[in-house]
Each structure stands twice: as structure tokens, then as C-alpha cells.
Amino acid sequence: MSRDEIELDFERPGRIGLEEAIYCAGKSTAQITEILATAAGRGAGLLLTRLEPERLAGLPAEAAAAIDYCAVSRTGFFGPRRPIDGPAQVVVVAAGTSDTPVAREVERVLQHQGRAATMVLDVGVAGLHRLTRRLGLIRAHPVVIVCAGMDAALASVVGGLVAGAVIAVPTSVGYGAAEGGRTALNAMLVSCAPGITVVNIDNGYGAACAALRILQASRRLA
Amino acid sequence: MSRDEIELDFERPGRIGLEEAIYCAGKSTAQITEILATAAGRGAGLLLTRLEPERLAGLPAEAAAAIDYCAVSRTGFFGPRRPIDGPAQVVVVAAGTSDTPVAREVERVLQHQGRAATMVLDVGVAGLHRLTRRLGLIRAHPVVIVCAGMDAALASVVGGLVAGAVIAVPTSVGYGAAEGGRTALNAMLVSCAPGITVVNIDNGYGAACAALRILQASRRLA
Amino acid sequence: MSRDEIELDFERPGRIGLEEAIYCAGKSTAQITEILATAAGRGAGLLLTRLEPERLAGLPAEAAAAIDYCAVSRTGFFGPRRPIDGPAQVVVVAAGTSDTPVAREVERVLQHQGRAATMVLDVGVAGLHRLTRRLGLIRAHPVVIVCAGMDAALASVVGGLVAGAVIAVPTSVGYGAAEGGRTALNAMLVSCAPGITVVNIDNGYGAACAALRILQASRRLA
Amino acid sequence: MSRDEIELDFERPGRIGLEEAIYCAGKSTAQITEILATAAGRGAGLLLTRLEPERLAGLPAEAAAAIDYCAVSRTGFFGPRRPIDGPAQVVVVAAGTSDTPVAREVERVLQHQGRAATMVLDVGVAGLHRLTRRLGLIRAHPVVIVCAGMDAALASVVGGLVAGAVIAVPTSVGYGAAEGGRTALNAMLVSCAPGITVVNIDNGYGAACAALRILQASRRLA
Amino acid sequence: MSRDEIELDFERPGRIGLEEAIYCAGKSTAQITEILATAAGRGAGLLLTRLEPERLAGLPAEAAAAIDYCAVSRTGFFGPRRPIDGPAQVVVVAAGTSDTPVAREVERVLQHQGRAATMVLDVGVAGLHRLTRRLGLIRAHPVVIVCAGMDAALASVVGGLVAGAVIAVPTSVGYGAAEGGRTALNAMLVSCAPGITVVNIDNGYGAACAALRILQASRRLA
Amino acid sequence: MSRDEIELDFERPGRIGLEEAIYCAGKSTAQITEILATAAGRGAGLLLTRLEPERLAGLPAEAAAAIDYCAVSRTGFFGPRRPIDGPAQVVVVAAGTSDTPVAREVERVLQHQGRAATMVLDVGVAGLHRLTRRLGLIRAHPVVIVCAGMDAALASVVGGLVAGAVIAVPTSVGYGAAEGGRTALNAMLVSCAPGITVVNIDNGYGAACAALRILQASRRLA
Amino acid sequence: MSRDEIELDFERPGRIGLEEAIYCAGKSTAQITEILATAAGRGAGLLLTRLEPERLAGLPAEAAAAIDYCAVSRTGFFGPRRPIDGPAQVVVVAAGTSDTPVAREVERVLQHQGRAATMVLDVGVAGLHRLTRRLGLIRAHPVVIVCAGMDAALASVVGGLVAGAVIAVPTSVGYGAAEGGRTALNAMLVSCAPGITVVNIDNGYGAACAALRILQASRRLA
Amino acid sequence: MSRDEIELDFERPGRIGLEEAIYCAGKSTAQITEILATAAGRGAGLLLTRLEPERLAGLPAEAAAAIDYCAVSRTGFFGPRRPIDGPAQVVVVAAGTSDTPVAREVERVLQHQGRAATMVLDVGVAGLHRLTRRLGLIRAHPVVIVCAGMDAALASVVGGLVAGAVIAVPTSVGYGAAEGGRTALNAMLVSCAPGITVVNIDNGYGAACAALRILQASRRLA
């Protein structure tokens, strides 16, 4: 494979305010290695998503060592990144223990772009008291990201209780009629609570980017 | 069409404790008319479901007049039926105004078999206070039937709050990703609240029959 | 149908900042009439969505006359509504002539809540020059709502060019492999442009509510 | 992963009468280990479902040794559990040899909550005599759970022959048009026998919980 | 539309032993009229399927009068047809009253080709005694055609009890999870009874042709 | 696992004329071992399908040695089997090299029941001359089984050229829009050639059983 | 609706060589009327597709009279159009009478752009002789468009016999497992004949445009 | 497996102008080995597709050594092949790094048939400048092949900008709502740019063959 097959979009931050990120699942080790070299050559920082531990282990040792890796979310920070800017304005709410990897991906992507997040985990509606106990904390944040699989009922309940922007992330948690997250996705799209927006299944990265877009927009809206 | 095409199952009550019911949607007016005549000839009562007003209007006047009809649930009682036996042991909980026809079908089927039902309507989780306000009433019934379309989140929330038997009826309310009730059905099947059972989309008749089976079983269980 | 079947959520504005709205498609004329009477009795304003002309014509004359109706978007304003507050901070971008009804629904919902919208219609990517010609206008708004059916490619192109919050509304425009809007929905969910959020097919109402949530959030974010 | 990500619902038995259970398939070994430690610290019993042998082998030796494990159903009992209370009131009927794991999961969940079950296995309708031979035994139980994959015809035949509560569990047995259990699920949902309720594909746990809800309800119904 | 658009396959009987048949649903009235004229010109007989009463009424009066029409099955015989040849060797078994139109289509197609059929209707497995009572009659026929919608359990039960050739016809009877007959189709394809073959949903015509092929083959097999 | 979980249907040959067969894919090695022991104890022959080489290797050495195994079709003959009875009356026609395993399964099942089959392989319609060259041979058999994946066009072409009974077996050959054989299945169900019957995807066993049913029926039809 | 909602792409011919066409199905009568007025004002010709007779009747009389309408294909020519340029280089092959409307749409779109087409209709593979008889004529054209519904086998057979460019148009002809044309679409996509390309279901317009692109390309390729 | 199961179509080049190619994914190593031996015996060249490295390693050493293998596209050239004939008339445009394997398959198939291709990779529309920068180069080729997964928006944008023949190849790149390439496939089929044709998911081979058919046709069209 020749070098010219890969053309990183280093103009993206200037255009839409989001750093280039590398989705590793569909790329060969050779491609990732080349991308890291290109970024290093420019002194640019990169966010790596869907980077499995085995894939990390397969990278050249020097490159792997330069990656700040999180095994739960399978994300890596390569090169310089933005410092955290002020208190958390985004809260990540997750329904069950199995939704943690997606919730952590949201948190990591926000951190990479200089934003803190408050985490409220394991508050599925089967035990509603777990959620209501944390409601004050959730409402204190203008942007709320809800991660839930299976029936995704958490998104509707939260959406009916908070006034902030609500971004819902369906997860692939569940089996059978969960259909790999399709049921959670559809349920969030037809939520009885108005104004909820949705991203792709397991797409913590996308939800974080959507939150970042809102934070950017708010500077102009204020 | 010759008479021998239709063979009513008058032995059903003795075998499984449920009266014969006629699902009118897939039958011709001639078939329904013949069925009514057969039942009348035996002095047997019949429950008619999915009987559209136009279909009712097309029946012979005498037959139509003998039907106790409910336009909301599109059900009819023909001939003798059982008297109501004691206070309501079943509560029907519905999420939105659009779920009312299904909830009313549940109520009517129970009535036809001699059982009262308590109705708790318009308590969708987008306004959770509407539900919590009625929680004591719902918990007072050992059997709970939840009718909800769209995201069907009501089933999970109720299922996490009550100890009784919970039967969930997905409705075809909603559009787009609601997929004609398929999303509600799937969401109920993968509910995060344990022990919820589900019937077909818009199948108020089936949910009522399931409740009747539980009431029958309880006599032997006590 | 008895009155107690309908319980409007008049507490919603205080809780989540959005006015109660009535989705008319799944309700009977009797139910809508009753809802209007209830709102009128409280002096409350209501937004009516998916109100077909035939349905409007079937309402009591006095009620119908009190409705500010838009046939393109099939929406109605009943009773008092908020005055428009300041210049447009939301731009609605639509791909083709057939997407106009959904785009207009977005505009009307925003207006009902006191917000103006800028409309940029008929700019599908098959003629990319139509879009690039309007790019400056679009970028001038911090919140962008993109309505597109068929391949929904407009959402990705816009998402790659603007830094604001992007809410995508798939429409049911198209036939065959368009699958009633499912293809547009899926394409928006897997957009190659990061941070796009999506609502249900043809759900202009939901997109407008999501924009309103962002505008609310921005006041606290600034 | 920090401890606060996991919040067990120890209040569940008091609220809905069902013990907390841990679905192991979507959790990391670290998460399961932490959950077991938490439960042990409280002296609480736990039911573990979908616990693969390899996963069991990966747990700390002391924790693994404390688990009463069943390889067929992939379930584990951890800590104290309820003694069996009286004769079996639930019968589990399974169509084929391949449905045994699901049927055994039902039995184990019931046992963990102190309930015995009668097992009637390998009675698929392709050889109807196998079923009719056992019909008296099946009818002796007020609650019947039917496990079947492929065409799921067993559920309809049983549902037409017994008066008790019938809970149907579709299994993922079969290939091609069996669609991973979706055909069995749909067939059970549209069964020609009235009043059958259904749970998710392969969800023996859910069926057992539904039976437990009925047994709880019956105490109040009697 | 010019005449040369239609080219009837009058060589079909010689090639595969089946008469040409006209599926009317997808053809314009002009096309059907032209086809009848062509057949009349050659003195050939034709079978018309899916001929709705309204369509029949729209044909030229002379052509319509020449059609031996059956409203239940929506079939018509035009021109000469074969006399019935011997006693019935095919039995058509149908589950419910709503399956009658499909069952009658099978019967009519067989009659058009000179074959009688025995009809056994309304023997769904929800009342198994209805079927077992007729089992001797069914077994007396070497070819069995089973028409059933919803869960299609009848096909499996019959397939497990008879030794003859079994052709299953799924019908579109049912709603919701019946998915327009897809569930019945899939259930028949994965029947637990071995050696059942299946045709398209509501395809009584195809099932009859398959039976005719078997009858033809048997002459060479004997 | 206790022995009584498995109940072989040794009465099947007397009832429907087909030997008991064991579908190994969904069974544990322990279950298969027990089944073989049971059959050996009765001196009964068994057909084993979907028996992977690894599974065969895992059986007790004595049992494995007693199996006449075919790796292409993954079938095994255990114990006594019927001698071949007369010349082939069934021809198996397959489209491509990748369809061979399914075609060989058909052949082996027929052989186990004492019937020979003629094999015509690699005659897909992309090179129509390959098929027409063999047409005389195919037509010489009263029963034709067509195995094809991808577009399954071979079934329609054959069905339009032969007068015998045609049983079509869709295979899972292909990728993408082949949808695991679903496209071939659907294409065969809606074949433009009349009277084709269809079995499940990759179900060579079922097609052979259907052919055996026809051969049985023909004895009574002659 | 204000005029600026519609922006015709009159630059399209210069950019991609194809005239602007108006898909009427998704547009209101008001929108179509406005489009015609705009085109008339510029003296531009327009192609109208999916123009139902009722819709045509609803247009202003003058506009309707100016349309050269074909009821079979539901297409209209408005204003000036290109004269036919040379002999037909495209042949349109259709499987059955019901595919004629789509085949005629292809022909009309080609005519509007100045290209003749040869029509070969009613040559489905169920009667293969009808196709082989016309093979020489088909092969005489360098571009072949195949229209077929149901199993779409015609596309594979033609694709295996001709060397020219083959564009396949699936049609929605068929019922049940035809799934509205989805089966034909998928079968064409997985055709066993190499190098066939496919357009959307019933998209005669798209197939004609693809042929026009090839004719344009050939001028530069020669 | 006996030799006569495999019948290579060596007459294909003469009939349709395309060389025989071997799709290795569905064939056993024994089958591939036999095919290579047959081709070698005739001195014929073969193209091998979907040949995984592990499969290559499993072939007899002599055969493997004779294969000109490309690991990115998983293709192999065996035996003689055509020399490259003239400058590139086909350009392959790919959206992202993950689409490279499919794009390279296109290139290799063209090379095997003696045609060069120009490669334009990594030009997805999320960064539109990457595409517009290359537009002149793309437009210089009369045939354009677009490879894209996820939302496949690149196909529509390119289709709206170039006048040549456009063949779109959906790839299986993406997750969740990408549905294994089905979303890209559908989006390409309903592209807002007219005259785009589509091949199966990941079918670089098919797209190349379609381009070759166009190049063949152009010789007769000029």
C-alpha cells in the first residue's frame, strides 16, 4: 500500500471545530502506523477509537508507548491534546454496567477536546429510585448524554425530566429481540419525550462530538 | 360458501376456560352472519373482536341489533354473557390517548368473561408524575396489563415498581422508526425489568385472555 | 369515551421548557375536540401536529376557526402563543421540493415557541452549486437542521462544512430502496461527518424541540 | 474501572419480589468479580445467568469455588438461597433436545427463588404421541412454560389443551428461515391458541420470573 | 399499448404439463381483454387468478359472461377446460375460516386441470380434536395441501401424522407479528416435521401446480 | 443431564415413512453419544446430519468408528441402513461448485433411505449451455431437486423446462445482498415457473425427505 | 408556498449531460404547476415522471394540454425535446406483461433525450424459447436494459448470453416473498452473471439515464 | 469429491468478453486446487478473488508460487494474463482508508483483463475540499467507479458532478445502522444524482466487469 492512499483531514478543526479522529476497527495495522507517523511528523494530536488491545499490541513499540490508552473504552490519545477547560457542562448517564464502555468513550472523547464530563452510571429504570436520587446532579448540566441498550427506556424518562439538550446513544447490549442495538435505537427515535436526538448504535464518539458542537454553538448563542 | 367451512369450537370453555371469540377482520360478512346464526341456534354467547362499524352496519339488521357494540374498542357482545364476578383484580395501564382503543379492548374482553378491570389511562413516562400519582392504585391489583406504543418505556417503569404479574401489550401507535408497533414489541421483550410477558401488537384480546388464565390458575395455586 | 381518559401535561413547560403539543394522527376527532376544550378552559395555547385538512374540517366550526392552520406542514396553532424573540438562530436546510412539508413543520414549531427560523430549501447535493452558494448564510446560524430523504447525502455534506450543532431529519421521500425513509435515517446515523444527531423519520416537530433544548441550554452555557 | 460504576439493586426483592440477578454475558470479568465481592460483603445471595464455563474459570478461585454451577444452563448460585417451598406448581415443557439449555435455565431460576419445577422434555409436535402421553402431567400444573425453537408449534398445541397460565419461550434453535429464533418468537406471538404470553428469545430467566410473579399474585388472588 | 407486448405461452402444457394461467392483479384491463381475445381466437382455455370482482365488472360484457367465476377464490375459468378425471387424490386442509379463499383457489386450479380435491376446513390446532377427528380422511389422500396463516402450526402437526407428500401454503391471515404471512412462511420452512415443502404466501395457485406436477410424476414413478 | 431428556421417535417410519435423523448442530457431544447408544441398544439405524468433523472427532472412538462419514455433506450413517432399491428416480441439479455440500447432503439422505440419485452439478445459468447440454438427462427423472444460492435463477429455468416434481433448495452461497440465502429462498418462492416448491436454506435433508414422500405417494397414486 | 422554494437545476445538462426531470409523485399540484411555469418562461423542456392521470387532470388546462402524455409509463414531455438521433443502440428487455410500465418508462426517457430504443417484451425465462428466439436481436445492441420482477431470473440469463453493458431494473411485480421488488433487486445484485449493474426498484428513469451516461462516455472512449 | 463436479466456463470470454474468475470464499481447498490444475492443463489464465492469505498458504506450494498475489485486495493472477492496453479510461474513487481493499480489487480485476485504472483514494465528503481538488482528474475519465461505505454520500456528490458512466460499489465499512453495507447500498440505489448504477456490497469484481462491459460496448457505439 502506498502512502498516498491516506489523506488526513488536518483542516477539520478550523472548519468544524472537531479534531481528526481515527476509527481503527476498519483499518489495517499498516494503515494505522502510517497515520501515526504522519501526525507525529506534523506535531498533530490524534484521537484513536475502537482500538482493540490486540491491535495496540501489534503497533510498533514506540508508537504504542506514545499512546495514552483506556482499555474500557478502547480509545487512545496520541500526541498533544487540549487541556481541560472549566467545570463539566456535560453529564453522561448510563443505564447498566454493560453500557460502561460506551459511556467511557464519550468521556474520553470530550477529554481529548478539553472538556470534562460528569459520570452517572448504573441508573436504569428497572430501579427508578437509583435515577431519581441523582436527578439534581443530572439537571445541573445543560447537556445530557444518555447511554442505554435493551429497551432504552432511560432516555425517555430522563428526557421527560430535564430541560437541557439530550443526546441518546443506543448500545448493543442485550440479545434476541434487542437486535444488536436496533431496538434501543428505534425506541430512542420514537421516544415519548420530545426533543431527544440520537446517534448510531454504540457511537459514544459521535455523541461526544455532538455535545462539542452544542458547546461551540452556545458561545455564539449567548 | 357452504356451511361446513365453519366449525366453531364450543368445547373451548370446558377445555381451557376461555369462551370462543370471533376475529372479524379476516372474515367475510357472509361468514360472520353464519357464525352468529350458529351461535344463536345453540343459545351460546360470542365475543366479536375487530368488528369495524362499517362491517357491523353490513350485518342483517336483526343480528346487528342483538350486538352490544363498543366503537372505541371495536368489540361486540352477542348473546348471553357472564355476570361480573367481584371487584377488579386486573388493572389496565395505558401510556397515551392513542392507546385507548387497545386498552378498552382488554377491558371489554374481561367483562365478557365476567371480570371487572380498573382503567388507568394517559400515564406515559414523558410526564412521570402522572404515573407515580397512580402507583398506589396500580399496586393494589395483582395483575397489571400495560398498553403502550412508540418506545413502550411505560412497561419497563411499571415492571420495576410492581410485584404483580405484568402483561405488556405493544400498540401500533407511532410512525417511522416505530415500525408499526415492532419497536414497542421488541422494547417490551427486552425490558430491563424482569418477568414481563408480552403479547402481539394491538392484541388487547390476547392480553385479557392471558389475565383470565392467571385468574384461573390462581384458584388452584392458592 | 369518558373525559378522564385524557390528561394533558400542562406542567411540561415548567419541567422541560417545551409546550404541550398534540399529535393528531392517532387521535379520534372526539379526543381532539375534548383536548381543545380543556386547553381553552385553562387559557392555554396548544400546538397541533399532523392535523390533516379533512380532520380539521371535521372539528366543531368554532374550534376550527380558532386554529391558525398551515396546510403545507399540517400544523395548527390554537390559543395564545409566544411572540417571536429576536433574529433567527436556527437555519432549516432542505434537499428537495418534496422535503418542504417537513421543513415547514420545523419552522412552525419554532415559531409557536417564539423562535424564528431561516429557510434554505431545494439545495440537494445532486447540484452542489446550489448548496455552496448558500453556505455563508447557513454558517451564520449556530444551529442547523437538515431535512433530506432518499440518500440523505445533504446531511453529510453540510455536517462536514459547518461548525454549529447539526440536527438531521430523514424524510420519507423516495421509493423502493428508500424504504419509507429508513435508508435516509440509517445514512444520517452513519454519516461520515462527525457529531450529527438524528431524529425520527419526518419528525420535524422533534427536530424543532431539539433545537429549542439547545437554545435553552445555551443560556446556561454562555 | 472505579467501584462506583456498579450499583446493585438490593431493594428489588422488597419492591417486586424478585432477587437481583447478574447477566454475565455483557460484563467484564473485573465487573463480575466486583459484584460478587459486594454481594458477599452484604451476605446477599445472587443468581448468575449466561455465565460461560470459560468466564467461570477466569474468576478468582475463591469466588469460583463458592458458585454452585450448572453447565447445561450456564447458571450459577452464589451465596445463600431460598429453600424449596412445597411441590412444583410450574411445569417446563420443551420441544427438542436442543431446547434443553433454555428449559434448564428456567428450572434453575425457579430453584434459586425457592420453587420446584417439573420437567417434560423432548415432546415436539412432529411426534404428537409424545406430548399427548404427558398431557395429564402437564395439566396438573397451574403454570406452564413452553420452550420451543424452529416453528414453535408446541406452544400453540399446548395452549389449546391446557387451562393454566402459559408462558412461551422461543429458542434460537434452527437455521436459515428460523432467523435466530425470530420465527419462533413471531409464531408464538401470533399463536392460534388464545392467551399465550411470550418472553424474549432464549430468555429462560425471564420466563421463570414471570412465573414467580404469577405465584406471588396468586396469593393475593386466592 | 400494442398487441406484440403480450406473448402467451401456449406451448407450456406440452413442455411442463400445466395450462397457461393469467395472474390478473398486475395487469391492466386492456391487457386482460387482449389476452382473452387471443385465447378465444385459438380456442384455448385459460385460468384467471387474482381476478377481483371490480376488475371482472370492468371487462367487456361478452368476455365477462364467458367466465365461470368464483368470488371466494377470485378465480375464473375462460373457454374449454378439462373434465374431472377420477376420485380426489389431493386433500386441502385449512386452519381457519379466514384461510378459505386460499384453500378454494387450490381447489379451483385443480379442477381447471381436471382434478378433484377433498376439502377439510377449519381444523386449526387450537382445537386439536377438530383435526384428529378428520385424520383418517386426510390420510386417505396421497397428496396433502395445508393452508394456514398466523403460527402455521397446522402444517407441522399434519406433517408429523401423514406419510403422503405435504405442500404447505402460508396465508397472510393475522396481524402485527404475523408480518403479512412471513411468520407463517418461515414457520413452515423450519417445521419440525420433515419433508414439508412450501410455496409463496397466499399462493394457492402454486400449491395446486405443485400437486399436479406430483400427479404427473407419479405416472412415471409407478 | 439425565437420560430421560432424550426421547427418540422410533415410531416415525411406521407413521410417516421416514427414518429418525439426528440434527447434530444444536446438540452437545454428550447428547449425541447418548443417542447413538440408545439406537445401538435397539439395533436401529440412524442418519446424522450437520455433523462437523471436529464433532465427529470428539465422539467416543468406538461410536465414531461405526459411522460411515462423508465430509463434504457432513453426514453420517450409523448402524444398519436400507439397501438401494432400483435405478435413480431423483436427479439433483446444482448451480455452482459452492452448492456441492448441500447437493451431496440430498444424495446421502436418499441413499440412507434406499434410494439412488443422479447428480448434475455446476450447471448455473450464467453459462446456459452447461444446463441445456444435460437437459435430456434431467428430464429422464420424475423428481428434480434444484440446489442454488445467490440469485437462484437455475430453479426458474429448470422449472420452465421439465414436467416433473421440482423441489428447490436455496443455499447460503453468496455475500452482501445474498443475505445468507434469504434472497435465493425468496427468489425460488416467487419463481416465474409454476409449481416449484421450496424448503429451508441449505436444507438438503428436507428436500430429500420431500422427495421420499413423493416416491411414497406415487405408489398409491399409480 | 412561496416561489423560492423551488430551484430547478437548469445547469444540469451542461454539467452531466442529462436534462432536468421532475418526479411528480412527491410534489403537490401547486409545486408542479409552478415548475412548469418556470420552465415555460425559460423555454426549457422538461420530462415529467410518475405523473398519475388524476394528477395530470388536476393541472391547469393549458399546462395539461402542452404535455405529451403516456398513460402506460405515466410520463409526460413538456416543451421542446431533442429529436431522435440515429438507430437504436439500446434494447429494453422485459420479463412479463406486468413489467411493461417500467419498460415503457425507459423507452420514453430515452426518447426525450433523443435516443431510440428497441423493445423486446414478455420474454420471461419460464418459457425460455421466447427469449432464445430474440437473442440475435438483443445481441445487436451494445446496451441492454433488463426489466423483471419476482425472481428476476431473466437478468442472469441475459447477462450470461450477451457481451454488452447490462443494466437491470427490478420491478415491484409479485406478492408475498417478492417483498415489493426487494427480492428482484437482491437477486439482480447477486446475479451469477458477472458485470450486471442495478438501479432502484421500478426505476426505469434511472436505467435510461445510466444508458445515456454510457452513450456519452462511448463518444470519448472510441 | 470427484472431478466432474467442477465445470469451468472457458467459453465465457467468447460469449461475453469476460475471463472466467474463481470466487474462492465458498470453495474448499481441494476444489481450488483442482480448478488451478484444470486451467494449467489448458494453458488458460484465471483470476482468483476473495483468496484469503491463509487459504493461499494452504494450496500446494507449486500452485501458490504461480499466483501473483495482492494481500490488500485478496486477489490472485494465475497463468497468462492480458497486457495493459492503453491509458486508463476508468477512475476508481474511494471515500475512506477502509474502502481501499474494495478499490484495489477493482483495479486488479481491470488489470487482469488488460485495462489500467487511475486511483483517487480517501476523498470522502466529510472534507469536501479533498474531492473538489481532484475533480478535474476524475472528469478526465469516461468511466467512474465510486467505492464508499457508511452513508455512501460520495456517490451522489460525484454523480452530480461528472458526465461519464458512474458505477457505485457499496462497502461494508461502518457499524450499527450501517447494517453491513446495506445502508450504503440502499443510499446509492436512491441517490439524488440520476443515472448511477450499483453492484453488490464489497463487489469490486462486479464493478470492474461492468466497466469492462462498457468499454466493450463503446467499441460498437463509436
Side-chain angles (χ1 to χ4, degrees), chain F residues 126 151 156 160 178 183 186-187 190-192, chain G residues 126 151 156 160 178 183 186-187 190-192:
Chain F
D151 56 5
S156 292
T183 293
N186 282 348
V190 296
S191 172
C192 55
Chain G
D151 56 4
S156 292
T183 293
N186 282 349
V190 295
S191 172
C192 55

Side-chain angles (χ1 to χ4, degrees), chain D:
Chain D
M1 181 183 38
S2 79
R3 176 149 233 156
D4 62 356
E5 282 177 22
I6 297 170
E7 185 166 350
L8 293 178
D9 187 3
F10 290 113
E11 301 161 39
R12 187 188 285 180
R15 208 171 61 244
I16 63 172
L18 300 170
E19 301 287 339
E20 174 75 300
I22 307 302
Y23 173 73
C24 299
K27 296 189 179 62
S28 67
T29 297
Q31 287 176 324
I32 297 173
T33 303
E34 185 186 330
I35 288 168
L36 294 179
T38 304
R42 291 177 60 118
L46 278 182
L47 174 69
L48 302 161
T49 64
R50 302 284 170 107
L51 178 65
E52 299 297 335
E54 307 75 38
R55 176 58 63 84
L56 178 70
L59 292 177
E62 196 180 6
I67 294 173
D68 169 355
Y69 185 68
C70 164
V72 172
S73 61
R74 295 171 302 157
T75 53
F77 299 159
F78 179 82
R81 64 179 175 97
R82 303 191 190 172
I84 298 295
D85 174 22
Q89 288 174 313
V90 180
V91 62
V92 181
V93 184
T97 311
S98 305
D99 301 313
T100 302
V102 174
R104 288 283 174 220
E105 188 185 57
V106 176
E107 184 186 27
R108 290 271 292 176
V109 176
L110 289 170
Q111 287 173 347
H112 190 253
Q113 296 254 138
R115 298 288 189 169
T118 301
M119 305 301 284
V120 176
L121 306 174
D122 227 355
V123 292
V125 302
L128 202 58
H129 58 289
R130 294 184 299 191
L131 175 67
T132 49
R133 197 184 290 158
R134 310 283 190 88
L135 199 52
L137 176 62
I138 296 170
R139 279 181 170 150
H141 296 77
V143 179
V144 184
I145 296 176
V146 181
C147 304
M150 297 164 71
D151 56 5
L154 181 62
S156 292
V157 172
V158 168
L161 292 172
V162 308
V166 178
I167 301 162
V169 192
T171 72
S172 55
V173 171
Y175 60 90
E179 295 191 348
R182 174 55 75 180
T183 293
L185 171 61
N186 282 349
M188 286 166 161
L189 286 165
V190 295
S191 172
C192 55
I196 293 178
T197 58
V198 187
V199 297
N200 194 13
I201 298 164
D202 291 334
N203 191 7
Y205 169 71
C209 287
L212 290 165
R213 283 180 178 270
I214 293 173
L215 298 183
Q216 285 172 185
S218 71
R219 276 191 229 116
R220 297 162 61 195
L221 281 163

Side-chain angles (χ1 to χ4, degrees), chain A residues 124-128 132 149-154 156-157 159-161 174-179 182-183 185-194, chain B residues 124-128 132 149-154 156-157 159-161 174-179 182-183 185-194:
Chain A
V125 303
L128 203 58
T132 49
M150 297 162 71
D151 56 5
L154 181 62
S156 293
V157 172
L161 293 172
Y175 59 92
E179 295 190 349
R182 173 56 72 179
T183 293
L185 171 61
N186 282 349
M188 285 164 161
L189 286 165
V190 295
S191 172
C192 55
Chain B
V125 303
L128 203 58
T132 49
M150 297 162 73
D151 56 5
L154 180 62
S156 292
V157 172
L161 293 172
Y175 60 90
E179 295 190 348
R182 174 55 74 179
T183 293
L185 171 61
N186 282 349
M188 285 165 161
L189 286 165
V190 296
S191 172
C192 54

Side-chain angles (χ1 to χ4, degrees), chain C residues 124-128 132 149-154 156-157 159-161 174-179 182-183 185-194, chain H residues 124-128 132 149-154 156-157 159-161 174-179 182-183 185-194:
Chain C
V125 303
L128 204 57
T132 50
M150 295 162 74
D151 56 5
L154 180 62
S156 292
V157 172
L161 292 172
Y175 60 90
E179 294 189 350
R182 174 55 74 177
T183 293
L185 171 62
N186 282 349
M188 286 165 161
L189 286 165
V190 296
S191 172
C192 55
Chain H
V125 302
L128 203 57
T132 50
M150 295 161 73
D151 55 6
L154 181 62
S156 292
V157 172
L161 293 172
Y175 60 90
E179 294 189 349
R182 174 56 74 178
T183 293
L185 171 62
N186 282 349
M188 285 164 161
L189 286 165
V190 296
S191 172
C192 54

Side-chain angles (χ1 to χ4, degrees), chain E residues 78-193:
Chain E
F78 179 82
R81 63 180 175 97
R82 304 192 191 172
I84 298 293
D85 174 21
Q89 288 174 313
V90 180
V91 61
V92 182
V93 184
T97 312
S98 306
D99 301 313
T100 302
V102 174
R104 289 280 175 223
E105 188 184 59
V106 176
E107 185 186 27
R108 290 270 293 177
V109 176
L110 290 170
Q111 286 173 348
H112 190 253
Q113 295 255 138
R115 298 289 190 169
T118 301
M119 305 302 282
V120 177
L121 306 174
D122 224 357
V123 291
V125 302
L128 203 57
H129 58 288
R130 295 184 298 191
L131 176 66
T132 49
R133 199 184 288 159
R134 311 282 191 87
L135 199 52
L137 176 62
I138 296 170
R139 279 182 170 147
H141 296 77
V143 180
V144 184
I145 296 177
V146 181
C147 305
M150 296 162 72
D151 55 5
L154 181 62
S156 292
V157 172
V158 168
L161 292 172
V162 308
V166 179
I167 301 163
V169 192
T171 71
S172 55
V173 170
Y175 60 90
E179 295 190 348
R182 174 55 74 179
T183 293
L185 171 61
N186 281 350
M188 285 164 162
L189 286 165
V190 296
S191 172
C192 55

Side-chain angles (χ1 to χ4, degrees), chain H residues 99-166:
Chain H
D99 301 313
T100 302
V102 174
R104 289 282 174 221
E105 189 185 58
V106 177
E107 184 186 29
R108 290 270 294 176
V109 176
L110 290 170
Q111 287 174 348
H112 191 253
Q113 296 254 139
R115 298 289 190 168
T118 301
M119 306 300 283
V120 176
L121 306 175
D122 226 356
V123 292
V125 302
L128 203 57
H129 58 288
R130 295 184 298 191
L131 175 66
T132 50
R133 197 184 289 158
R134 311 284 191 86
L135 199 52
L137 176 62
I138 296 170
R139 279 182 170 146
H141 296 77
V143 179
V144 183
I145 296 176
V146 181
C147 306
M150 295 161 73
D151 55 6
L154 181 62
S156 292
V157 172
V158 168
L161 293 172
V162 308
V166 179

